[in-house]
Amino acid sequence: ILNVEQSPQSLHVQEGDSTNFTCSFPSSNFYALHWYRWETAKSPEALFVMTLNGDEKKKGRISATLNTKEGYSYLYIKGSQPEDSATYLCAFISGSRLTFGEGTQLTVNP
Amino acid sequence: NAGVMQNPRHLVRRRGQEARLRCSPMKGHSHVYWYRQLPEEGLKFMVYLQKENIIDESGMPKERFSAEFPKEGPSILRIQQVVRGDSAAYFCASSPRGDYGYTFGSGTRLTVV
């Protein structure tokens, strides 16, 4: 059984704080890691698809790094804003399926 | 481009009835995936389809659940003889290739009464 684990489960920060969360996954037979952002009452939206060890991707104030040898990825948000409040999911591709973690629920207080 | 279209958005069925959930992938996307989110849980993989083929159905319950993606028309997730435990949000996603990010639909919330 494939385990994708995310921590922390939830996080409350103040507007302007920078924050990061972790996704850990099996390091053997790595193919790709995805990050998604899921706002309440909407559908998950793809942020990054990461495939190479040492990859670093950036989209505005959000960035992600990947370490395939040790099986973890970090998502960073710089200068959090209330509109960043969402659940952030990582997902690991194994074979033909994308297996999701339970997510980190981020709340940014104004 | 209308994105991934799922309908209905909400579906109420009595125990024992059939539920049919539809998903039209994004234009140009030939890979379709169905996920289920049970109350208080995360997204769980159900099935992966390409046109007229089921590629991986290892996440589908063995009985009452079936999925198809015909040559013409939307992908259908069919649940026969629904039970209360089938109440969940069912999400469909599509991608142009297996290694691209997925585009998700808005989901169908199934309630079994």
Side-chain angles (χ1 to χ4, degrees), chain A residues 34 36 43 96-98 102, chain B residues 35 42 44 56 58 100 102 105:
Chain A
H34 294 206
Y36 289 81
S43 48
S96 55
R97 63 157 70 185
L98 193 61
E102 298 290 308
Chain B
Y35 284 79
K44 303 297 181 195
D56 181 350
S58 56
Y100 269 47
Y102 292 7

Side-chain angles (χ1 to χ4, degrees), chain A residues 6-37:
Chain A
Q6 291 188 247
S7 63
Q9 195 172 13
S10 66
L11 193 55
H12 291 252
V13 301
Q14 289 299 124
E15 183 175 355
D17 286 352
S18 292
T19 186
N20 65 83
F21 2 105
T22 307
C23 170
S24 62
F25 52 87
S27 55
S28 58
N29 299 319
F30 177 83
Y31 187 74
L33 187 91
H34 294 206
W35 279 100
Y36 289 81
R37 172 191 150 91

Side-chain angles (χ1 to χ4, degrees), chain A residues 9-110:
Chain A
Q9 195 172 13
S10 66
L11 193 55
H12 291 252
V13 301
Q14 289 299 124
E15 183 175 355
D17 286 352
S18 292
T19 186
N20 65 83
F21 2 105
T22 307
C23 170
S24 62
F25 52 87
S27 55
S28 58
N29 299 319
F30 177 83
Y31 187 74
L33 187 91
H34 294 206
W35 279 100
Y36 289 81
R37 172 191 150 91
W38 193 359
E39 287 182 75
T40 304
K42 294 189 179 178
S43 48
E45 174 196 348
L47 287 173
F48 305 116
V49 175
M50 309 182 80
T51 55
L52 298 174
N53 185 41
D55 239 358
E56 184 167 340
K57 301 238 174 175
K58 192 171 178 188
K59 192 174 185 177
R61 293 179 292 99
I62 304 177
S63 60
T65 60
L66 178 68
N67 183 324
T68 61
K69 293 185 185 208
E70 295 181 39
Y72 65 83
S73 176
Y74 293 134
L75 189 81
Y76 300 91
I77 302 179
K78 188 176 175 182
S80 304
Q81 300 296 309
E83 57 264 31
D84 295 329
S85 297
T87 297
Y88 292 82
L89 300 170
C90 75
F92 174 76
I93 284 194
S94 174
S96 55
R97 63 157 70 185
L98 193 61
T99 298
F100 282 86
E102 298 290 308
T104 292
Q105 187 173 11
L106 174 67
T107 304
V108 182
N109 300 311

